[in-house]
Amino acid sequence: MAEATKKAFVSGHPIKHSRSPKIHGHWLAEHGIDGSYEAIDVAPQDFAAFLAGLKANGYAGGNVTIPHKEAAFAGVARRDHAADQIGAVNTLWFEDGALWGGNTDAHGFAANLDDYAPGWAANGPAVVLGAGGASRAVIHALKERGVGDIRIVNRTLARAVELRDRFGAGISAHEPAATAELLRDAGLLINTTALGMQGNEGLPADPALLPGHAVVHDIVYVPLETPLLAAARARGLRTVDGLGMLLNQAVPGFEHWFGVRPKVTAELRAIIVADLAPKSPEAHSPVART
């Protein structure tokens, strides 16, 4: 009897913006795997039932994105270390009969910097702009790579303090007024806010204040070159856009579901860059990491 087609998915609400089907579809074709990866719109009130029915519906696992990451965190039987630290799940798979949840955003963040700014982790201190869900993944990755001085800047200080308390030693919380002083000896500047995103143009911090060896990374990928990255590049600093984080976070999930660890290549990047070309305003959701 022929082996059943392996099935995976990405679920969110809405979900039509997701580039994950293009990413995983490319890898399925590249490796000649009899498999599928589909986008499924699941309303929040239906997510628990959707999760409970994964095995019966033949899924090997999948991705979850906004607004289901916290619900997935609560709904799985087991979680990996990254998910526990970050407090959210974006990848699901079955292992030994149990539904596992993981978080691959930190992996995607670090792998992207490894590709475009080798040696970045030795550059600290790091200034992280924003204290939302994405910043948790960034802070976890920074700590895992040994960055010992991580400075969180957020408009609402209480949210930055919450992350400082969550992640412990080496983390400090600051209001935006402190940004200029914090940048003067920082070797890493990471923007996790929506400022600079298409339709929300602006400069979240001034890279002119950074030392010459600094690396500037914006996790936004629409546009690929945000005002922050343009200003940093004009200054001669190393810059890293957010698309590689999206591509690299997809790698571990594909390996879980289809048994092959794919590579993020220039060809794949070009496919997604072409898909990012302006179509309609609702076609973009640059904050989604799946």
Side-chain angles (χ1 to χ4, degrees):
M1 182 182 294
E3 185 179 347
T5 299
K6 294 179 180 178
K7 296 166 50 179
F9 65 89
V10 58
S11 69
H13 184 71
I15 197 59
K16 63 183 178 181
H17 61 266
S18 177
R19 270 88 191 183
S20 290
K22 282 190 177 292
I23 296 169
H24 292 285
H26 172 79
W27 285 333
L28 287 168
E30 181 178 59
H31 292 283
I33 294 170
D34 182 13
S36 67
Y37 184 99
E38 61 182 319
I40 306 174
D41 194 310
V42 181
Q45 65 269 23
D46 299 325
F47 184 73
F50 173 76
L51 207 61
L54 289 181
K55 198 162 200 177
N57 288 318
Y59 289 104
N63 291 123
V64 292
T65 188
I66 298 170
H68 300 320
K69 290 185 177 184
E70 287 75 23
F73 180 88
V76 297
R78 303 285 301 275
R79 294 186 293 263
D80 70 8
H81 175 66
D84 276 332
Q85 291 295 303
I86 295 165
V89 159
N90 76 338
T91 303
L92 303 166
W93 69 94
F94 288 98
E95 187 175 326
D96 298 327
L99 181 61
W100 277 71
N103 193 303
T104 63
D105 286 336
H107 164 82
F109 167 80
N112 187 30
L113 281 168
D114 287 342
D115 287 341
Y116 293 100
W120 62 271
N123 254 33
V127 173
V128 178
L129 305 175
S135 66
R136 292 185 180 193
V138 167
I139 294 164
H140 175 67
L142 291 172
K143 291 206 73 172
E144 290 287 293
R145 290 298 188 93
V147 178
D149 183 350
I150 302 168
R151 306 159 181 181
I152 308 168
V153 177
N154 196 59
R155 185 174 53 186
T156 305
L157 181 60
R159 295 193 68 184
V161 169
E162 179 186 340
L163 292 192
R164 179 198 69 191
D165 294 345
R166 180 185 188 92
F167 286 97
I171 313 294
S172 56
H174 309 271
E175 293 180 319
T179 303
E181 186 60 33
L182 295 171
L183 292 178
R184 295 191 190 283
D185 65 341
L188 292 165
L189 173 62
I190 303 115
N191 178 43
T192 73
T193 76
L195 196 57
M197 192 179 292
Q198 183 170 289
N200 190 23
E201 287 78 7
L203 199 64
D206 185 359
L209 300 172
L210 289 163
H213 67 276
V215 174
V216 179
H217 176 34
D218 201 324
I219 71 166
V220 169
Y221 58 87
V222 179
L224 276 176
E225 184 169 75
T226 62
L228 175 64
L229 294 183
R233 184 173 55 80
R235 163 83 196 287
L237 302 177
R238 286 190 291 173
T239 62
V240 182
D241 66 53
L243 182 55
M245 181 174 174
L246 171 72
L247 301 177
N248 281 286
Q249 66 79 30
V251 169
F254 190 92
E255 183 176 23
H256 279 303
W257 312 318
F258 302 113
V260 174
R261 190 167 184 87
K263 293 185 183 301
V264 173
T265 60
E267 179 185 9
L268 175 60
R269 181 180 169 91
I271 290 168
I272 304 304
V273 168
D275 190 60
L276 295 177
K279 300 176 182 67
S280 59
E282 66 272 13
H284 297 300
S285 181
V287 296
R289 306 253 54 94
T290 51

